[in-house]
Amino acid sequence: MASTSNVTELIFTGLFQDPAAQRVCFVVFLLVYLATVVGNGLIILTVNISKSLHSPMYFFLSYLSLVEISYSSTVAPKFIKDLLAKIKTISLEGCLAQIFFFHFFGVAEILLLVMMAYDRYVAICKPLHYINIMNRQLCHLLVAGSWLGGFCHSIIQILIIIQLPFCGPNVIDHYFCDLQPLFKLACTDTFMEGVIVLASSGLFAVFSFLILVSSYIVILVNLRNHSAEGRHKALSTCASHITVVILFFGPAIFLYMRPSSTFTEDKLVAVFYTVITPMLNPIIYTLRNAEVKIAIRRLWCKKENPGRE
């Protein structure tokens, strides 16, 4: 698979070495992953069934929830299973597949967050043209663009990796496959590959974050022209978006914009954005969004009148 590679299987060191701590983590992270799937799945179901949530904002939110489930599923199931394993192994092909899908869904999420910010910008700054601008066709094109962007980004990462020779050792000081830990196993200089990853992952994340921050600054400035009720509703929606953006970009920028290290703290930061954040997003959106909470109540209320709405 990789150039002149003698390595066919890789071994993870994992998050902790203490068996008792690993058993506790197994229970905790299994519950977190199940909450991620159920919470995001509930949002997808609610948005698709509820007639009151058919606006572009909720259309993007349902796809964001789908991406969150997929993104977490590239890492969490294997990570959770390995917490009970004495030797945590993965094939080289499996490692490459994990890297591909991890970056695929990660970049797709970044692009979806940018599109959600654009949707809020149009809704708040150009309300009279909102329906015409954010039509169904454009929304589908933007979502397709996020998938395409994630695919192109992931292909670049894989093309970098498959050219590297791996002669041993085969121990990755991490709990999942990512580019920087894998670079350390290559029996060749990977400086240029590291620069390409910095440009394609780190700088991409930073520029996307700056675009998002700039768009929300413009939105906040334009809110001065709205009524107090309009400002409150817009701020509530934007606050959810901004919180999710910070939770996602903060750890990612911290890890990808600095020299690679093997500190336990770095692994804990990675756990936060690969396992914890996907669970928090549905909580953030439902707690701060009255329309979503009402729609969920209606969905599960037995006394709901199907003809209502």
Side-chain angles (χ1 to χ4, degrees):
M1 177 68 76
S3 175
T4 63
S5 176
N6 298 323
V7 175
T8 58
E9 188 176 67
L10 301 169
I11 300 173
F12 296 128
T13 59
L15 190 61
F16 300 112
Q17 302 301 316
D18 180 32
Q22 291 190 72
R23 286 192 292 270
V24 172
C25 287
F26 172 82
V27 175
V28 171
F29 291 130
L30 177 60
L31 293 175
V32 169
Y33 178 65
L34 292 175
T36 298
V37 175
V38 172
N40 285 287
L42 182 59
I43 288 182
I44 296 170
L45 181 64
T46 303
V47 170
N48 282 278
I49 290 179
S50 177
K51 295 178 182 179
S52 63
L53 301 180
H54 281 184
S55 67
M57 180 176 75
Y58 297 113
F59 174 79
F60 290 127
L61 178 58
S62 67
Y63 272 97
L64 180 66
S65 294
L66 176 62
V67 169
E68 291 286 18
I69 293 173
S70 305
Y71 177 72
S72 181
S73 296
T74 62
V75 174
K78 169 68 176 167
F79 166 53
I80 293 167
K81 181 176 74 73
D82 282 348
L83 286 169
L84 298 182
K86 291 185 178 179
I87 302 177
K88 309 166 189 6
T89 62
I90 187 171
S91 67
L92 184 57
E93 292 83 359
C95 184
L96 294 177
Q98 190 175 62
I99 290 173
F100 176 85
F101 287 109
F102 178 71
H103 284 266
F104 173 67
F105 292 117
V107 169
E109 178 167 354
I110 289 175
L111 295 174
L112 274 174
L113 290 172
V114 172
M115 292 163 193
M116 292 175 76
Y118 175 70
D119 172 71
R120 290 300 83 204
Y121 165 77
V122 176
I124 294 170
C125 301
K126 299 182 179 181
L128 298 178
H129 303 285
Y130 179 70
I131 296 177
N132 291 328
I133 295 175
M134 298 303 298
N135 57 68
R136 203 68 175 173
Q137 183 180 6
L138 178 62
C139 291
H140 280 99
L141 284 174
L142 291 175
V143 169
S146 71
W147 294 116
L148 180 61
F151 178 80
C152 293
H153 172 83
S154 295
I155 287 295
I156 293 172
Q157 315 310 308
I158 296 302
L159 290 176
I160 293 171
I161 289 292
I162 61 175
Q163 298 179 49
L164 296 177
F166 295 97
C167 314
N170 66 335
V171 178
I172 297 181
D173 190 11
H174 216 306
Y175 65 89
F176 73 101
C177 282
D178 203 3
L179 295 166
Q180 293 295 350
L182 203 55
F183 283 164
K184 294 180 180 180
L185 303 185
C187 45
T188 186
D189 180 60
T190 58
F191 174 78
M192 283 308 300
E193 286 80 3
V195 171
I196 295 172
V197 169
L198 176 67
S200 64
S201 296
L203 294 180
F204 174 77
V206 170
F207 288 145
S208 299
F209 181 71
L210 292 176
I211 290 172
L212 285 164
V213 170
S214 302
S215 66
Y216 284 116
I217 289 174
V218 173
I219 290 172
L220 293 174
V221 170
N222 275 271
L223 283 176
R224 294 180 301 176
N225 303 323
H226 288 64
S227 64
E229 183 181 352
R231 281 199 300 270
H232 175 73
K233 184 176 181 180
L235 283 172
S236 178
T237 303
C238 290
S240 300
H241 292 188
I242 293 170
T243 303
V244 169
V245 166
I246 292 173
L247 287 174
F248 183 83
F249 281 92
I253 292 174
F254 172 79
L255 288 179
Y256 284 98
M257 289 300 293
R258 57 193 284 272
S260 171
S261 66
T262 57
F263 296 127
T264 301
E265 291 80 1
D266 287 3
K267 296 180 187 179
L268 293 175
V269 171
V271 166
F272 186 78
Y273 74 82
T274 57
V275 182
I276 305 297
T277 300
M279 177 199 68
L280 295 177
N281 287 356
I283 297 174
I284 293 167
Y285 280 113
T286 53
L287 287 179
R288 298 194 61 90
N289 192 303
E291 289 182 321
V292 174
K293 286 190 287 187
I294 292 170
I296 290 175
R297 289 195 197 103
R298 287 177 177 173
L299 180 64
W300 296 106
C301 181
K302 294 181 180 179
K303 295 180 181 180
E304 177 188 12
N305 180 2
R308 194 175 176 182
E309 289 190 49

